[in-house]
C-alpha cells in the first residue's frame, strides 16, 4: 500500500510545484514591466516635458526629507516591537497622535503663562528653548506612558495566544484611542502655537534658478532632532545594558530569560522607548504641520509601518532608511512620475506592495529570530 | 493595611479611573439619559434629572463591588464589605474629580478648549445640582452603596441555596430540551424538520411585507453585512488570514454594478444580472491579483497590504484623477435594480427578498465549503501552516482560494448594496467599514455562521436602534475588540470544532487513508 502511494504522491507533488511556482516565473516579467513603466514616466517627465525646474525638485526633496525623518521615528517603534513580539503594534500611530496632542496643549499652556516685569511676554517666547524642550519632554512622557499601559493592558495577557489575537486587540486599541481622543478633545482641527523663533513658514531662503526656495526652520529643526533621536536610540540599543537585553529578548525569549534577562520588563521598556520616539514625532508633526486632530496619527502610522517593511522589519538602520526613502518617494514621486499629488498616499501603498513582491525582506534585510519566520 | 483590603482597593481604583474617563467624555450623561428613557421620560433633557445621574453612580458602584467581590469564597458580610470598600474607593476618586470640577466651576476657568464636554451646566449636572461639598459627599455615598450592593449580589449569587436553585433550573431546562429532542429526533424527525423549515420559509416570505420600509432597509443592511461577514470569515475565520481592507472588494462589486448599470458616466445600461455576475467576478479577480504576490509572506504582511489596498481603492475613487470615470467624491447615482418575472425591484421590501436570497446562498456555500476537504485544508492552514504544508496541503493555493471566494462574496454584497441604494460613493467604502466587518465576525465568533448573523445584528442593527450611542459607538467597538480578545477570543458563538480522534487499535493497525489534498 505504501509502495503504491509513494509514486503517485511524487507525481502529484510535481504538479503542485508547477501551479505554485507560476508566480515565481511571472515575477521577473512583472518586475521588468514595473521598471519599464517607471523609466518611461521618468523619461517623459524629466526629459520630454521638463515641467519642473531644479527649484521645485529641491523643494520637494526638502519636504520629503523632513517627513521622512518623522516616518523614521515612528517606524523605529514598529520595528522594535515587531522584532520582539512579532506583532504589528497597530495602535502605534495613535500613540503618536496623543503625543501630538500633549505637545499642542503644552505649547498652549506655555503661551498662556505670562512672565517678565513690565514687558509682559508669554513663557513660550521668553524662554523658547526651554519651552520647546519641556513640550517635547511632556509629549514623549505621555506617549511613553500610553505605550506602557497599552502593552500592559491590551498585549501582555495575549502573549501566548495565536498571532491574530494580539493583532486584533491592537486594532481595537487603535480605534479606542482614536475615538477617546475625539470625544475628549472634540473632533475639530487644532492649530499649534509655535514659539516665535520656530514660526511656521519662516526659514532660510536660498536661490536656485532665480527662484527662492525656503528651507523652513521647523523643517530643519524636525530633521535634526529626529536624526539626533535616532542616533541616541542606536546607541541605546547597541551600547547599553538595556539594549543588550532587548536584542537578547528579540533573538530568543526563553534563552534570554534563562540568562537572567527580565523578559516582561524588557518588553515594557521597549514599548516605553518606542512610545517616547512616537511622542517626539507627534510633537514635531504639530510644530511643522501645525494641525493636530484625532486622525493625525493613523495615516503616518500605516506609512511608518510601510517604511519599516521597506527597510526590512526588525532592522533598525533599515527602518531609518525606509522612513527617509518613503518620505522622499512620497514627496518627489508624484512629480517625477507625473501623477496627481492627491495620489501620494496611493504611491506609498503601491511601493509597499512592490517591495513585498520583489524583495519581501526589505532593502536592508529582515532581522528576526529564526523560529517564527 | 491587610491584603484583603488592598485587594478590594485595586478594582475600586480601576473603576474610579473608568468613571473619570466616562465623565470626561460625557458618557455619564448618556447613561443617565438612557435611564430616564427606560423609566418613561419621553424627551429627556441634555442634562437629565439628578435621580438618573445618581442611578448612574450606583451602577458604577455596583460594577466596582462586583469586580471586588468576584473570586472570593468568603462569608456574606466579608464579601459585601469588600464591595463596599471598592465602591467607596471608586467613590472617593469620583469625589476628587468632582472637587476639581467644582473648582473649575466656581473659579470660572474655561477648560472647554481642551476638554470639550466640561461646560458649566454639565458640571452642575454631575454634582446633582447640589452645592459642591454636598455633591461630592453624595457621590461617595452612592458609590459605596452601589459597591455594597454589588458585593452582596455576588455573595448572594455564590451562596449555597441560590446555587442549588440555579442548578435545579439548569437541570430542568436540560431535561426539557432533551425531552423536546426526543420528540423531534425520534420517528417524527423528518416531519419536524419539514415543519420548522416551512415555518421559517413562511416567515421569510411574509415578514418583510409587514416590516415597513425603514425596518426592511435596516435589516437589509444587516443581511448584506452577513454576506460580507461570511466572505471575510472564509478568509479570516476558516483559513486564518487577516484581511483588513476587505471593503475594497465590496467597493469593486458596488462600482461594477454602478458603472455598468447607471446612466452616468458611461451609459452602458447593462441589466442587473450581468452586472452582478461581472461585479462578483471582478472582485474575485482583484482578490487573486492582490493575493498572488503575498502568499509566500508572513500573515501579517497580508493584513497591512490589504489595508493599503483598501485605502488605495478609496483614495482613487475619491481623487480628481478618476472623477471623469467614477464620479469622484460625488459617487454614482441612479443605479437600477433587477427585474424578476417581469416585476421590477424597486422598494426596500423587494430588495429584502433579494438580500435574503443572497444570504441563503452565501450561507449554503459557506457551510458546504466549511465541511469539505477544502474546509479542512483551511483549518489545517489556520492552525499551523508549516504542519499543513508538511502534511501535503498546498497552502498557497488554498490561501488564495480563500481570499478569492471571500472577495467574491464581498463583490456580491457590494453589487446588491449599490443597486438597492441606487447610489454608491467613495465614503461608503472607508477603512472604518472594513473594521466594522472584521469586528462583527470577531464579536460573533470567528468562523461560525450564527456568530456572523449575531454580530451583524449587534454591530449594524443595534446602532440603528440606539441612536444616542452614535458618538460612542466606535469607542465601544474598540474597547469591545480588546475585551473580547482578552476574555473570549473565540467570540460569543464560537464555531464548533470538529473533535474526533482516530481510535488506536493495535491489532488492526492499517495504513491510514490517503489524505493528500489533491
Amino acid at each position: 500500500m505504501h509502495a503504491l502511494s509513494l509514486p503517485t504522491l511524487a507525481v502529484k507533488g510535481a504538479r503542485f510545484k508547477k501551479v505554485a511556482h507560476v508566480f515565481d516565473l511571472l515575477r521577473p516579467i512583472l518586475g521588468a514591466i514595473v521598471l519599464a513603466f517607471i523609466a518611461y514616466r521618468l523619461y517623459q517627465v524629466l526629459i520630454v516635458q521638463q515641467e519642473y525646474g531644479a527649484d521645485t525638485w529641491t523643494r520637494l526633496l526638502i519636504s520629503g526629507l523632513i517627513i521622512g525623518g518623522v516616518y523614521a521615528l515612528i517606524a523605529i517603534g514598529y520595528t522594535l516591537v515587531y522584532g520582539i513580539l512579532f506583532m504589528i503594534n497597530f495602535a502605534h500611530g495613535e500613540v503618536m497622535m496623543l503625543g501630538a496632542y500633549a505637545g499642542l496643549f503644552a505649547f498652549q499652556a506655555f503661551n498662556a503663562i505670562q512672565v517678565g516685569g513690565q514687558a509682559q511676554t508669554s513663557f513660550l517666547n521668553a524662554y523658547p528653548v526651554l519651552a520647546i524642550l519641556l513640550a517635547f519632554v511632556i509629549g514623549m512622557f505621555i506617549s511613553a506612558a500610553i505605550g506602557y499601559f497599552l502593552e500592559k493592558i491590551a498585549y501582555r495577557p495575549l502573549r501566548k495566544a495565536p498571532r491574530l489575537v494580539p493583532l486584533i486587540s491592537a486594532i481595537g486599541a487603535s480605534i479606542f484611542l482614536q475615538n477617546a481622543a475625539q470625544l475628549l478633545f472634540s473632533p475639530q482641527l487644532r492649530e499649534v502655537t509655535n514659539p516665535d523663533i520656530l514660526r511656521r513658514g519662516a526659514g532660510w531662503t536660498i536661490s536656485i534658478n532665480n527662484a527662492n526656495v525656503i528651507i523652513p526652520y521647523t523643517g530643519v529643526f524636525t530633521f535634526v532632532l529626529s536624526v539626533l533621536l535616532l542616533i541616541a536610540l542606536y546607541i541605546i540599543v547597541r551600547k547599553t545594558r538595556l539594549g543588550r537585553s532587548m536584542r537578547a529578548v528579540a533573538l530568543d525569549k526563553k534563552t534570554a530569560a534563562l540568562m537572567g534577562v527580565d523578559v516582561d520588563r524588557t518588553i515594557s521598556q521597549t514599548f516605553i522607548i518606542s512610545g517616547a520616539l512616537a511622542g517626539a514625532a507627534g510633537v514635531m508633526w504639530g510644530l511643522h504641520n501645525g494641525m493636530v486632530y484625532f486622525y493625525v496619527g493613523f495615516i503616518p502610522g500605516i506609512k511608518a509601518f510601510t517604511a519599516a517593511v521597506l527597510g526590512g522589519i526588525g532592522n533598525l538602520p533599515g527602518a531609518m532608511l525606509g522612513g527617509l526613502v518613503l518620505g522622499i518617494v512620497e514627496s518627489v514621486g508624484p512629480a517625477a512620475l507625473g501623477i496627481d499629488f492627491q495620489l501620494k498616499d496611493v504611491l506609498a501603498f503601491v511601493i509597499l506592495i512592490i517591495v513585498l513582491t520583489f524583495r519581501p525582506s526589505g532593502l536592508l534585510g529582515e532581522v528576526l529570530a529564526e523560529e517564527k519566520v | 493595611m491587610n491584603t484583603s483590603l488592598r485587594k478590594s482597593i485595586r478594582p475600586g481604583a480601576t473603576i474610579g479611573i473608568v468613571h473619570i474617563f466616562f465623565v470626561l467624555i460625557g458618557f455619564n450623561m448618556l447613561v443617565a439619559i438612557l435611564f430616564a428613557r427606560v423609566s418613561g421620560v419621553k424627551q429627556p433633557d441634555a442634562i437629565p434629572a439628578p435621580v438618573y445621574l445618581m442611578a448612574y453612580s450606583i451602577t458604577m458602584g455596583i460594577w466596582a463591588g462586583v469586580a471586588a467581590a468576584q473570586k472570593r469564597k468568603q462569608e456574606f458580610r466579608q464579601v459585601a464589605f469588600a464591595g463596599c470598600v471598592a465602591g467607596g474607593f471608586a467613590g472617593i476618586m469620583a469625589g476628587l474629580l468632582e472637587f476639581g470640577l467644582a473648582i473649575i466651576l466656581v473659579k470660572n476657568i474655561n477648560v472647554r478648549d481642551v476638554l470639550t464636554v466640561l461646560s458649566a451646566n454639565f458640571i452642575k449636572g454631575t454634582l446633582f445640582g447640589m452645592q459642591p461639598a454636598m455633591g461630592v459627599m453624595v457621590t461617595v455615598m452612592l458609590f459605596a452603596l452601589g459597591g455594597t450592593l454589588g458585593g452582596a449580589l455576588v455573595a448572594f449569587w455564590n451562596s449555597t441555596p441560590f446555587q442549588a436553585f440555579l442548578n435545579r433550573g439548569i437541570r430542568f431546562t436540560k431535561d426539557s430540551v432533551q425531552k423536546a429532542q426526543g420528540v423531534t429526533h425520534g420517528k417524527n424527525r423528518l416531519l419536524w424538520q419539514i415543519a420548522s423549515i416551512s415555518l421559517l420559509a413562511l416567515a421569510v416570505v411574509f415578514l418583510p411585507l409587514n416590516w415597513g420600509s425603514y425596518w426592511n432597509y435596516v435589516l437589509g443592511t444587516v443581511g448584506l453585512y452577513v454576506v460580507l461577514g461570511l466572505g471575510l470569515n472564509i478568509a479570516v475565520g476558516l483559513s486564518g488570514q487577516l484581511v483588513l481592507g476587505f471593503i475594497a472588494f465590496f467597493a469593486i462589486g458596488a462600482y461594477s454594478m454602478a458603472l455598468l448599470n447607471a446612466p452616468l458616466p458611461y451609459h452602458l445600461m447593462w441589466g442587473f444580472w450581468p452586472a452582478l455576475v461581472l461585479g462578483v467576478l471582478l472582485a474575485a479577480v482583484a482578490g487573486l491579483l492582490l493575493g498572488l504576490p503575498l502568499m509566500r509572506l508572513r500573515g501579517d504582511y497580508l493584513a497591512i497590504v490589504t489595508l493599503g489596498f483598501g485605502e488605495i481603492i478609496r483614495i482613487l475613487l475619491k481623487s480628481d484623477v478618476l472623477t471623469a470615470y467614477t464620479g469622484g467624491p460625488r459617487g454614482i447615482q441612479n443605479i437600477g435594480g433587477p427585474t424578476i418575472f417581469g416585476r421590477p425591484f424597486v422598494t426596500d421590501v423587494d430588495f429584502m427578498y433579494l438580500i435574503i436570497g443572497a444570504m441563503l446562498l452565501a450561507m449554503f456555500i459557506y457551510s458546504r465549503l466549511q465541511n469539505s476537504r477544502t474546509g479542512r485544508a483551511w483549518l489545517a492552514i489556520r492552525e499551523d501552516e508549516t504542519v499543513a504544508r508538511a502534511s501535503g496541503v498546498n497552502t498557497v493555493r488554498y490561501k488564495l482560494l480563500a481570499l478569492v471566494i471571500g472577495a467574491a462574496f464581498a463583490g456580491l454584497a457590494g453589487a446588491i448594496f449599490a443597486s438597492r441604494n441606487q447610489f454608491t460613493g467613495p465614503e461608503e467604502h472607508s477603512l472604518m467599514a472594513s473594521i466594522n466587518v472584521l469586528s462583527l465576525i470577531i464579536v460573533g465568533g470567528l468562523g461560525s455562521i450564527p456568530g456572523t448573523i449575531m454580530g451583524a445584528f449587534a454591530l449594524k442593527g443595534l446602532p440603528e436602534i440606539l441612536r444616542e450611542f452614535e458618538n460612542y459607538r466606535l469607542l465601544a467597538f474598540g474597547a469591545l475588540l480588546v475585551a473580547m480578545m482578552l476574555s473570549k477570543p473565540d467570540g460569543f458563538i464560537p464555531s464548533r470544532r470538529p473533535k474526533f480522534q482516530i481510535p488506536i487499535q493495535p491489532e488492526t493497525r492499517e495504513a491510514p487513508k490517503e489524505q493528500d489534498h489533491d
Side-chain angles (χ1 to χ4, degrees), chain A residues 1-2 4-6 8-9 12 15-16 19-21 23-24 26-27 82 86-88 90 105 108 153-155 157-158 163-173 175-186 188 190 295 298-299 302 305-306 309 312-313 340 342-343 345-346 349-350 352-353 356-357 360-361 366 368 372-373, chain B residues 10 20-21 24-26 112-117 236-237 240-242 244 290 292-294 296-305 307-309 311-316 318-321 392-394 396-397 431-432 435 438-439 442 446 471-472 474-483 485-487 489 511-514 516-518:
Chain A
M1 196 131 183
H2 278 273
L4 260 177
S5 61
L6 273 173
T8 40
L9 261 180
K12 278 190 169 179
R15 192 161 62 81
F16 304 148
V19 176
H21 286 280
F23 185 69
D24 287 352
L26 278 176
R27 202 193 303 253
Y82 198 94
F86 291 96
M87 186 197 96
I88 302 174
F90 213 85
F105 292 136
Q108 229 170 45
I153 295 168
Y155 305 152
L158 303 174
R163 291 177 59 190
L164 210 57
V165 173
L167 183 57
I168 291 168
S169 180
I171 293 172
I175 301 172
F176 179 83
L177 290 176
Q178 217 177 80
N179 286 280
Q182 184 186 0
L183 289 167
L184 283 172
F185 310 129
S186 91
Q188 79 196 42
R190 287 160 185 276
Y295 205 60
F298 190 75
I299 297 286
I302 293 176
F305 181 75
T306 306
V309 174
I313 199 134
D340 199 295
Q342 275 182 332
L343 300 185
D345 292 348
V346 173
F349 292 127
V350 170
L352 175 70
I353 294 179
L356 286 179
T357 312
S361 55
E366 291 177 332
L368 292 174
K372 288 204 182 165
V373 179
Chain B
R10 240 187 106 97
I20 290 174
F21 178 68
L24 292 184
I25 61 174
R112 292 200 69 189
D113 282 346
V114 179
L115 297 164
T116 35
V117 293
V236 184
Q241 309 171 72
L242 189 60
L244 283 184
L290 186 69
L292 260 180
L294 302 171
R296 285 164 186 284
L297 301 174
R298 260 191 313 278
D300 25 29
Y301 281 164
L302 183 74
I304 206 83
V305 168
L307 179 104
F309 177 68
E311 284 293 289
I312 289 176
I313 294 279
R314 189 181 64 86
I315 296 169
L316 278 180
K318 210 176 156 185
S319 70
D320 298 337
V321 184
V393 177
N394 183 350
V396 172
R397 179 197 277 188
L431 184 70
M432 231 39 248
I435 288 178
L438 187 68
S439 316
I442 290 163
L446 272 181
N471 291 335
Y472 299 90
L474 286 172
L475 186 84
F477 265 13
L480 194 70
L481 278 187
V482 177
M485 288 304 110
L486 293 179
S487 59
K513 255 191 171 175
E514 290 249 339
D516 57 319
H517 292 271
D518 59 329

Side-chain angles (χ1 to χ4, degrees), chain B residues 152-206:
Chain B
L153 267 175
V154 173
F156 177 66
W157 182 268
N158 288 336
S159 62
T160 336
F162 184 77
Q163 283 292 320
F165 173 74
L166 210 64
N167 281 336
R168 220 178 311 143
I170 291 171
R171 215 174 306 138
F172 179 73
T173 326
K174 264 189 187 163
D175 284 352
S176 12
V177 167
Q178 259 169 11
K179 266 183 205 157
Q181 274 179 349
V183 177
T184 51
H185 279 68
K187 288 176 280 185
N188 304 327
R189 184 174 175 176
L190 191 70
L191 206 71
W192 273 102
Q193 275 183 346
I194 291 171
S196 52
I197 287 174
S198 48
L199 204 69
L200 205 70
L202 275 179
V204 161
V205 171
F206 287 108

Side-chain angles (χ1 to χ4, degrees), chain B residues 176-473:
Chain B
S176 12
V177 167
Q178 259 169 11
K179 266 183 205 157
Q181 274 179 349
V183 177
T184 51
H185 279 68
K187 288 176 280 185
N188 304 327
R189 184 174 175 176
L190 191 70
L191 206 71
W192 273 102
Q193 275 183 346
I194 291 171
S196 52
I197 287 174
S198 48
L199 204 69
L200 205 70
L202 275 179
V204 161
V205 171
F206 287 108
L207 273 183
L209 292 176
N210 298 323
W211 274 334
S213 181
Y214 174 72
W215 281 108
N216 271 309
Y217 181 80
V218 171
L219 292 173
T221 311
V222 171
L224 286 175
Y225 267 82
V226 170
V227 177
L228 204 53
L230 287 175
L232 187 59
N233 239 330
I234 289 179
V236 184
L238 296 186
S239 76
Q241 309 171 72
L242 189 60
V243 177
L244 283 184
F246 195 62
I247 213 75
F249 302 119
F250 182 83
I252 290 173
Y255 266 87
S256 311
M257 174 59 77
L259 293 175
L260 293 173
N261 187 295
L264 283 171
Y266 293 120
H267 201 73
L268 290 173
M269 303 301 269
W270 282 29
F272 174 85
W273 298 108
L276 182 78
V277 170
L278 198 70
V280 171
L281 283 180
L282 280 178
V285 168
L288 182 73
L289 289 182
L290 186 69
L292 260 180
L294 302 171
M295 280 304 135
R296 285 164 186 284
L297 301 174
R298 260 191 313 278
D300 25 29
Y301 281 164
L302 183 74
I304 206 83
V305 168
T306 48
L307 179 104
F309 177 68
E311 284 293 289
I312 289 176
I313 294 279
R314 189 181 64 86
I315 296 169
L316 278 180
L317 291 177
K318 210 176 156 185
S319 70
D320 298 337
V321 184
L322 291 182
T323 301
Y325 309 103
T326 62
R330 272 188 302 157
I332 299 172
Q333 278 141 23
N334 298 326
I335 304 165
T339 306
I340 299 176
F341 305 126
R343 178 183 148 77
F345 274 40
V346 184
T347 63
D348 289 324
V349 183
D350 297 336
F351 270 102
M352 190 68 212
Y353 289 113
L354 193 67
I355 289 165
I356 288 174
M359 233 167 85
L360 290 176
L361 178 73
M363 269 149 60
F364 176 71
I365 296 176
Y366 185 91
S367 66
R368 295 298 295 166
L369 279 172
Q370 189 174 18
N371 298 322
S372 69
R373 168 178 286 244
T374 313
R376 287 202 305 282
W378 283 336
L379 185 78
I381 293 171
R382 186 185 75 188
E383 292 305 312
D384 194 322
E385 206 176 321
T386 318
V387 173
R389 197 179 303 141
S391 322
V393 177
N394 183 350
T395 52
V396 172
R397 179 197 277 188
Y398 278 105
K399 276 157 70 182
L400 262 182
L401 188 68
L403 196 61
V404 168
I405 296 178
F409 275 38
L412 176 74
I416 298 179
F417 188 75
S419 172
R420 184 192 67 161
N421 290 3
Q422 302 177 1
F423 168 78
T424 190
E427 284 312 313
E428 280 173 355
H429 313 296
S430 66
L431 184 70
M432 231 39 248
S434 299
I435 288 178
N436 269 344
V437 184
L438 187 68
S439 316
L440 82 86
I441 63 170
I442 290 163
V443 169
L446 272 181
S448 89
I449 296 179
T452 309
I453 297 173
M454 198 211 90
F457 267 105
L459 295 194
K460 288 312 288 185
L462 275 187
E464 292 288 339
I465 302 165
L466 300 173
R467 281 268 166 203
E468 284 99 341
F469 278 102
E470 187 63 36
N471 291 335
Y472 299 90
R473 201 179 68 198

